[in-house]
Structure formats: structure tokens, C-alpha cells
Amino acid sequence: MTEPILEIEDLNISFYTRAGEIPAVMDFSMSVLPGETMGLVGESGCGKSTVSLGIMRYLGNNGSIKSGKIKFMGRDMAEMSAEEMRNLRGSKISMVYQEPMASLNPAMKVGNQLSEVLTVHDGVTEEEALKRAADMVSAVRLPDPDRILGAYPHQLSGGQQQRIVIAMALLSKPQLLLLDEPTTALDVTVEAGIVELIGELAKEFGTSMIFVSHNLGLILETCDRITVMYSGEAVEEGDIDTVFNNMRHPYTKGLLRSIPVPGADKYSRPLVAIPGQLPLPHERPIGCNFGPRCDHYAEEICNKGLVEMHEVGHRHRSRCERIGEIDWNADVAAAEQDEPIEVGDVVVTVNHLKKHYSVSTGMFGGGDTRTVKANEDLTFEAREAETVAIVGESGCGKSTFAKVLMGLETATDGTVALGNLDIAHLPVEKRNPQTVSSVQMVFQNPFDTLNPSMTIGNQIMRVLEIFEIGVNDNDRRERMLELLDLVKLPREFASRMPRQLSGGQKQRIGIARAFAGRPKLVVADEPVSALDVSVQAAVTKLLTDIQRESRTTMLFISHDLGVVRYLSDRIVVMYLGEIMEQGRTEDIFSPPYHPYTEALLSAVPVADTHVKKRHVVIEGEIPSPLNRPDGCPFQTRCSYFMPGKCDSGPLPRKEMANGHVIACHLDDDTLNAMEPVIEVESTPAAE
């Protein structure tokens, strides 16, 4: 076995605030071999990013490595001078952050920023640096390198910006690459392309990687080994197959049972959420940090004192005192099964809806006027107590459609019938309180939707007052407390401020406000994407429970097809403002597919070693709505493209079965001959 490229021994990192010392990382050890990719996973606040920043010595003025060693290529980094560390960063060790614009200078052209890496670290001439920068831009599969090098960062899409940051990190061919949630803000198709790209380039340059993520599916597909963190500690470490198939820590098992994988069903096989929440650093329990949330907790064993990592196999360790006592092959106690919700009559009918914007090509309003077709000929319906998911990449028109529903925009043409009322042309200021309360929204980010200066109870009561619910404050207070019961939060939370709540608790308050006026329709815009996977399971269960009780119709907007498959009854797939495919969830996930749906499904990372995926390549970027191609909007990226057919004329709508509709020029034989993209391989237990 070769020497590790990175070796961390008993690392302890603390931050010092006015409230005192806050231990962020404790007793952390990890090693990464040359060419190896290590995944670092865990809930928000567990210390994943702090480990990466500790390696880079980017802990700020109040952060400090208290004890332990970080060795890079056999040398203790604590013995390196400030100048040596500066030379190391960007040349031998590089880091890619979650937000690409945090790494790019908005006032410098991309070419200058890339070449600067080489002139500073490798001492090459500017001419040579620009040539190597252009080669790297091509290597990260960006078209027209000369145009990219001459552009400013704001002139590139999010996916292009992230590729530039990756190019910058790899220019000096580093030995170690740190990736901190590098694809979180990207579409699933862009994410798949970038992850594949990183893997290929790392293999080409022999680079070792540490991949920080909360997405276990992504870790499974990209990493050789995995370290699971909880409350500042590593709780399990091992090879990917070993940890996923022979996990030896209750927290790892809890994480995996919180994730929607093929086979999970919101009625027959519901997800099991991890009870409780991550403890604050000053509230950590004695003994095992995970003890208060663990099904296998035992007094006098788990709370005796410091729990150390135990060897359980070849390069497989776990921080659990009951490893030998737990039956790891026993079935997890299943969540309570529910009867399927029976859907009712049609509540919302969308008929040939169009939303166009007129924009000027001139800098100050002059020039030609052109039309952006954000939504084009949308037609579908949603029934009482039904969940209809709307999926597609950024720019496909999902959010524009949501704005029309909410009255923040009015339609250019077509109708949206809510019962007997057409709301497509009715702006929110002209809607009466009953109409406003009948269409509500749960937003993606719970942090931005709450007033930081008002108590939770007052914020919910304010919504009830606006909707004219209750005759006085006492009535509204009672209804507010009932809503807290509905979202399974203690009534004492009424007097709390938003800053005293966790992310999952804030999202529950957002759900309580959305359901305050007993709406007919709730638009849920990425309601769980900002939450940890352990919290996602609880929130999706909550949405299903409330829907069962209130019989509310839900439009679920998301790019996470794992959650969509688990939660939705029907799916509408959108691309560049048009519906490419719609039907029951089981029909969308089974062939025949629209070529775009096929590519979307192939790009979804799945956290299950028994799932086999067919690789479908999707090339290029989504076209600008200002320059929509004639014919099928997906033709520029479609592997089935047929010249003279796909690039002209209207799209034929093919009725398959059970209301399954595909908008495509492919003939029935080709569609019906498609192979499944996602298949679950049989296991010995299943047989």
C-alpha cells in the first residue's frame, strides 16, 4: 500500500466566540491514498466543511486547530510557514466551493483569472498561461474557448461558471482537490456532466479528491471511500460498497432509510425519519453524540464517556459501543403504513396557457423588441388530494407558471380554472381574500420567508387575519395553535423567534402558514431541497399527512426526481416552456420515455448499490428562450434528432396509455423499444 497523500490524525478544531469555545470537529481521523476519492457526508452543522477549511488553513480569526495533525505528502502542515502554505494552495491543493461566484472576480475576464493561476504558481509566461487555460477550458467541455476566455463571469450560466472554477482548480495539476458541495445549485443534468468530468480529469491527472456532500447518491457514484460525520465526529468510515451494504453505525443506517430510493412508496413503504435533531455544540450529550436519537441506545454503555472509533473490518471503522450486540441484518422497524389517498374531482384545469415577455435588445431600452416564450401551450389538470409534480431544468418555465398561479404574473393567453374561476388573468391585487387563501405556496428557502422580528405565533395569526379567518384574536390564536399541532410542533413554539428554530422547523412553519386558510391548491416550490435528508423524510411525511386531512391539491415543483418519484401521483415534464411528457408517476419512470425524460432519469444519482442505471448522455446547454429552435425545443441536445423532422412543424402529441402523453416525433416502434433507465437488481434477501 502506498503512503497516503493526506493523513489526518486526532484532529480537534474549535471556534472562539463571545459565548466561549465551540468545538466544531473532535477526534477526527482520515486518510486519503493517491488517486483515491473520499466522500465526506452528514447533516448540516456536522463539521464537513470545517474539515476542508482546516486542511486549507482557512479557519478565520476565531477558528483554531487545538490539537491533532494534518499531514500532506508525509509532512505536518502545522510546520509549514505562511509562505509555504500560500504556495501550496492552488498548486498542490485546490478547492472548489459550492457557489462558483465566490471564487470568481466579477471585474476580471475569465481568461485573465485562469492564466493568473499559472503565472503565480507555475511561473510561466502570460502567453503560455493563456494557451494552457484555453486547453483546460476545452477539457472541461466548454464550447468556443476563445469566447469563454474573453467573457466576464456574469456572461456565463451557472453550469459554465462551475466548470471554469473546476478548470481553475485543476490548472496546476494538484495532488489533492477539495470539493465542497460543488453541484448543489446546479440542475441534475448539469450535475451529472460535471461529476463525470471531475472524475475523468482527476483520473487523467492522478488527483486525489475529498468530495463534501449531503447527497449520498452522488457520493455512491463518485467516491471510492466514505466518511460519515455526526456532530463534529467521524462515526463510520470505509469503502463505498462496505458502508452501503454492511453499515455498522446506527446513524449511517438512519441516513440511508431517510432517502427515497426506487422501491420506496409514501403509502406501502414510507421513509423513516431520524427522530430529534442534531445537538448544538454546547448541548452535546455525555458519551455517544447520536445517543438521544438512536434506536439502540443503552444506559451505562452509550453514555459512559468518550466513544472511540473501533476497527470492524479492513479499513472499516465505526464509533459505536454496541457494534457486536446489534443485529445489523434485522429489518428496520417500518414506518406506519397508510391507505392511499383517494383523489377526487378536478380542482385545477390548465388549458393552452401561454406566458410571453417582451424584451428589448438595446442596453437602455432601445433596439428591437423580442419575445421570450416562458410558458408555451401548457395543458394539464390536477384533482382533489392529488400531488402533481412539475419537473425540468432551470429556465424550463416552472417558476413562471407558479407566478401565474399565485397572481404575481398574468397569462398572455389560455386559462387556469380553479373551480369555476379563471385565475390566469387575475392579478393578486384583484383577488379577494378567499381566492388568495385558496392558492398558497410553500417556498424553497424557509429562512427568507419569516419575519425575524415577529414571534412564530404572531406571524401565523397575521396570515389568519389577512384571510379573514376567525372573528377575533382569541379565535385566531386557537386556530394558530391547531396549525402548530398540524405540523407536529410544540405549542410553546408560538412564542419563539425564527432564529430559535432549525431549518426543518422553519419549513414546518412555512407549511403551517400555507395551509392556514384551508387552501384548495398549494404550490410547493422545492420545499425540501434546502433541508438535510434526515429532515426531508419528516417533511415529506408531514405534507402527505396534511394532504390526507385537508384534501388539498398539491403542485410539487422540484428537480430532485428521487423525491418526486416518492411523493407525486402524476408528473409533468417541462423543457423550454413546453410540456414534453406527462402521466402517472409509474409511467414516467418506465419506458417508453420522451428522450428528455430518459436523459433526466439517467442523470439522477441513486443511493442504492443494487440499482443499475443506463447511461444516457445529454450534450450542450439549454437554449436561450430568446432563440428557441423551430420544431421540437429539445432537438439541439437530443441523441434521436432527425433532420427535416424534429426541426420543423408542431410537435405531435402521442397518447400512450392511462393518460400518458409524449410530445415527440419518434415513431411508436422506437418509443416502445426503449430499455428501462433505472432497474433494481435482485438481492439474495429479495429472492
Side-chain angles (χ1 to χ4, degrees), residues 447-599:
F447 311 98
D448 295 338
T449 57
L450 297 175
N451 187 331
S453 60
M454 285 179 69
T455 64
I456 296 304
N458 286 339
Q459 294 194 53
I460 296 175
M461 288 175 66
R462 173 67 178 147
V463 173
L464 295 170
E465 184 181 352
I466 291 171
F467 291 161
E468 300 177 355
I469 294 173
V471 295
N472 54 40
D473 281 350
N474 286 336
D475 280 357
R476 285 189 276 271
R477 179 167 181 77
E478 189 55 38
R479 173 62 180 157
M480 177 269 293
L481 294 173
E482 289 173 2
L483 285 164
L484 288 178
D485 295 340
L486 185 70
V487 296
K488 297 178 174 60
L489 286 177
R491 290 191 169 195
E492 304 84 69
F493 274 44
S495 59
R496 291 197 181 184
M497 305 298 284
R499 67 176 180 273
Q500 296 174 290
L501 273 59
S502 69
Q505 290 168 342
K506 287 177 183 175
Q507 191 61 291
R508 286 170 184 253
I509 297 300
I511 292 168
R513 290 196 312 182
F515 283 88
R518 298 182 176 91
K520 295 178 183 176
L521 173 67
V522 167
V523 181
D525 187 3
E526 302 274 12
V528 296
S529 64
L531 305 177
D532 287 309
V533 291
S534 55
V535 182
Q536 280 185 16
V539 172
T540 51
K541 177 70 164 65
L542 175 67
L543 286 169
T544 305
D545 289 345
I546 295 175
Q547 187 178 44
R548 180 185 302 280
E549 181 177 320
S550 63
R551 303 285 299 168
T552 303
T553 303
M554 188 157 64
L555 290 184
F556 189 82
I557 296 173
S558 181
H559 70 274
D560 187 337
L561 286 171
V563 175
V564 163
R565 182 176 192 165
Y566 174 74
L567 198 60
S568 65
D569 303 304
R570 289 193 303 114
I571 298 175
V572 174
V573 182
M574 288 182 63
Y575 184 82
L576 211 60
E578 294 189 41
I579 294 176
M580 298 287 99
E581 184 171 2
Q582 62 174 297
R584 300 182 309 175
T585 300
E586 58 266 34
D587 291 331
I588 297 295
F589 276 82
S590 305
Y593 310 105
H594 186 281
Y596 178 56
T597 309
E598 185 182 41

Side-chain angles (χ1 to χ4, degrees), residues 303-511:
N303 61 348
K304 266 195 168 182
L306 180 68
V307 181
E308 297 183 349
M309 292 287 272
H310 302 286
E311 298 286 341
V312 291
H314 175 62
R315 297 189 76 198
H316 184 198
R317 304 186 302 150
S318 171
R319 195 182 296 271
C320 179
E321 296 291 6
R322 301 196 63 206
I323 296 172
E325 302 170 34
I326 297 171
D327 182 359
W328 297 101
N329 295 317
D331 290 333
V332 175
E336 185 179 341
Q337 295 185 7
D338 292 314
E339 289 296 317
I341 301 174
E342 189 173 333
V343 300
D345 296 330
V346 174
V347 170
V348 182
T349 303
V350 182
N351 195 26
H352 300 294
L353 180 77
K354 296 182 180 181
K355 177 59 185 175
H356 297 173
Y357 296 95
S358 293
V359 296
S360 171
T361 56
M363 185 177 293
F364 301 106
D368 297 333
T369 299
R370 299 173 69 181
T371 299
V372 175
K373 297 179 179 179
N375 290 151
E376 184 69 5
D377 200 26
L378 304 187
T379 299
F380 68 94
E381 60 186 27
R383 298 177 178 274
E384 181 188 60
E386 184 179 44
T387 300
V388 178
I390 302 176
V391 301
E393 295 171 280
S394 301
C396 75
K398 305 187 299 289
S399 296
T400 299
F401 174 60
K403 288 177 182 177
V404 172
L405 287 176
M406 300 302 297
L408 302 175
E409 299 279 3
T410 54
T412 304
D413 198 5
T415 61
V416 178
L418 183 67
N420 297 321
L421 179 66
D422 179 14
I423 60 173
H425 305 277
L426 193 63
V428 67
E429 61 269 17
K430 293 186 179 179
R431 298 182 182 185
N432 60 37
Q434 289 72 35
T435 304
V436 172
S437 67
S438 66
V439 184
Q440 284 296 294
M441 193 161 186
V442 179
F443 294 91
Q444 176 176 357
N445 194 337
F447 311 98
D448 295 338
T449 57
L450 297 175
N451 187 331
S453 60
M454 285 179 69
T455 64
I456 296 304
N458 286 339
Q459 294 194 53
I460 296 175
M461 288 175 66
R462 173 67 178 147
V463 173
L464 295 170
E465 184 181 352
I466 291 171
F467 291 161
E468 300 177 355
I469 294 173
V471 295
N472 54 40
D473 281 350
N474 286 336
D475 280 357
R476 285 189 276 271
R477 179 167 181 77
E478 189 55 38
R479 173 62 180 157
M480 177 269 293
L481 294 173
E482 289 173 2
L483 285 164
L484 288 178
D485 295 340
L486 185 70
V487 296
K488 297 178 174 60
L489 286 177
R491 290 191 169 195
E492 304 84 69
F493 274 44
S495 59
R496 291 197 181 184
M497 305 298 284
R499 67 176 180 273
Q500 296 174 290
L501 273 59
S502 69
Q505 290 168 342
K506 287 177 183 175
Q507 191 61 291
R508 286 170 184 253
I509 297 300
I511 292 168

